[in-house]
Amino acid sequence: MRLATPIGFATEVFLQEAPDPALLPEGPWTLVGDLHLREAWTRAGLPEPSHALWVAVSEEEKKLRTILPWLEHWARVPLHRDATVVALGGGVLSDMAGLASALYLRGIAWQVWPTSLLAMADAALGGKTAVDLAAGKNLVGAFHSPRRLVACTSFLASLPERHLENGRWELVKTALIQGETPWAAEMLQDGPVKVPWVERALAYKAGVVHRDPREAGERRLLNLGHTLGHALEAASGYDLLHGEAVGLGLLGSCLLAEDLGLKPFPPAFLASLARRLAPLAPMVAPWSACLPLLHRDKKARHAPGATEDAPATEIHCILPRFGEPAIQRALAPEVWESPHARLVDLLHREAPRA
């Protein structure tokens, strides 16, 4: 099923149960796929180019050095400017293959076939491609939209429960951005992730990306939960999955918004968030480990009036409000200290009921 997207949107979006070879590129193409999915790909009757790359990548390998051999391989094939790269995998592989496609011959076309809920719900759509530096996540990247996104829910059947839960947080994020608290509460209940939730999230993100492709304004809202989340993810040594870190960041954002006097969320809703996140408590790094990472956040900038002798940093933060759309504010990294402490306390308080 092809989803409705804004007229002129750069990416065709398909959401369906089983993969369809008719959705592969018509011209010359190659594949970069998650090695663990090779059997599922061929079992589905999908073609495998002789020069396909089957790789195993993790967040720790999301570096420029990992994609350089891919570029050398494409040059040896050789791939020309009329070729298309098909990326098959989760959010990490999608980010890396998209960036490699942006760099090769100054940009060739690519398709993304996301196979994790996290990638389907968020990472695969929007053209933000990147790799990490030692200083922080996604600090080297490019905007390079895929020509087509093909999300096949049959690929989710092989995912461990933790990875399904990991993707759920990007869906909850979408609800909180829009102030759709009842939808967020529904997704926090026990039970499987529903395909209409994914469809709804994709439709919302497509609209935002179309209106603000370069993240100059509205698109920044999609970073809800990512400021504290990215710091927690990196400080954990990436023991936290990205979506898990975003979930913790969502709870922290709700608490920060309350600290700043915005419309607070009911204690019962915050407790339900904390209850679902409570198993992650042992992986939450102390505040002292998070603050330096917040200062290096890719959304950080020098605050107005800062000097070399008295530097100051502020981060573009997204703050959710109960029953109302989220808002944007530039804040000092230090404001996250109290929400971090309250978050840890809430997690430990809800752990017995998790």
Side-chain angles (χ1 to χ4, degrees):
M1 171 181 66
R2 182 172 177 176
L3 301 188
T5 53
I7 295 173
F9 189 58
T11 306
E12 298 176 329
V13 181
F14 293 84
L15 180 60
Q16 52 197 68
E17 182 179 353
D20 181 356
L23 295 176
L24 289 166
E26 294 179 0
W29 63 281
T30 193
L31 176 73
V32 179
D34 186 321
L35 181 61
H36 301 100
L37 294 161
R38 187 174 189 176
E39 183 181 345
W41 181 263
T42 55
R43 192 172 56 242
L46 296 164
E48 181 182 351
S50 60
H51 40 67
L53 288 171
W54 292 101
V55 297
V57 291
S58 63
E59 188 70 48
E60 291 79 10
E61 287 139 4
K62 194 181 176 190
K63 301 287 193 294
L64 276 171
R65 66 173 180 265
T66 306
I67 65 174
L68 288 176
W70 304 1
L71 301 172
E72 295 284 5
H73 174 72
W74 294 346
R76 286 193 301 268
V77 168
L79 292 186
H80 301 297
R81 284 184 172 165
D82 60 346
T84 299
V85 172
V86 174
L88 174 76
V92 170
L93 186 141
S94 299
D95 271 7
M96 296 171 70
L99 179 59
S101 301
L103 294 173
Y104 186 69
L105 298 180
R106 299 191 179 94
I108 61 173
W110 71 298
Q111 290 187 4
V112 58
W113 291 53
T115 59
S116 71
L117 181 58
L118 181 76
M120 290 182 188
D122 184 68
L125 186 65
K128 285 171 69 173
T129 69
V131 293
D132 303 338
L133 294 179
K137 277 181 61 66
N138 299 332
L139 295 183
V140 176
F143 287 97
H144 188 47
S145 294
R147 297 279 178 86
R148 181 174 291 164
L149 183 157
V150 183
C152 304
T153 55
S154 59
F155 286 127
L156 300 178
S158 61
L159 285 181
E161 181 61 34
R162 183 184 178 192
H163 285 260
L164 287 171
E165 185 72 0
N166 184 50
R168 186 187 296 256
W169 293 110
E170 287 287 356
L171 299 173
V172 174
K173 177 200 79 172
T174 303
L176 292 181
I177 291 171
Q178 300 174 81
E180 298 283 352
T181 314
W183 182 28
E186 178 188 352
M187 292 187 286
L188 291 173
Q189 302 302 310
D190 291 336
V193 170
K194 299 177 182 178
V195 173
W197 297 349
V198 180
E199 182 178 349
R200 188 172 174 181
L202 284 170
Y204 172 73
K205 184 170 183 180
V208 171
V209 169
H210 185 65
R211 291 188 293 272
D212 182 16
R214 294 280 173 165
E215 201 172 305
E218 181 187 9
R219 186 170 177 174
R220 293 173 179 166
L221 293 170
L222 299 175
N223 290 315
L224 175 61
H226 285 61
T227 301
L228 182 59
H230 273 168
L232 291 169
E233 184 180 1
S236 76
Y238 299 103
D239 288 339
L240 281 170
L241 300 177
H242 176 68
E244 294 171 337
V246 168
L248 292 165
L250 292 176
L251 177 55
S253 298
C254 291
L255 298 172
L256 176 58
E258 185 177 320
D259 286 349
L260 295 175
L262 299 180
K263 191 172 183 179
F265 287 84
F269 179 79
L270 296 179
S272 66
L273 266 175
R275 197 172 307 126
R276 199 157 193 117
L277 293 164
L280 305 176
M283 290 183 278
V284 175
W287 171 248
S288 59
C290 295
L291 183 58
L293 292 162
L294 286 166
H295 275 277
R296 297 196 294 269
D297 187 284
K298 68 178 183 294
K299 300 178 295 299
R301 64 181 185 182
H302 282 292
T307 65
E308 188 173 337
D309 296 327
T313 300
E314 63 182 17
I315 305 176
H316 214 94
C317 300
I318 311 303
L319 302 171
R321 299 178 293 174
F322 175 62
E324 298 179 19
I327 62 171
Q328 308 181 37
R329 282 197 186 171
L331 300 168
E334 289 76 11
V335 301
W336 290 97
E337 182 174 8
S338 172
H340 177 278
R342 291 177 63 196
L343 180 151
V344 171
D345 180 63
L346 261 175
L347 295 183
H348 287 293
R349 207 184 313 162
E350 291 298 324
R353 292 188 283 273

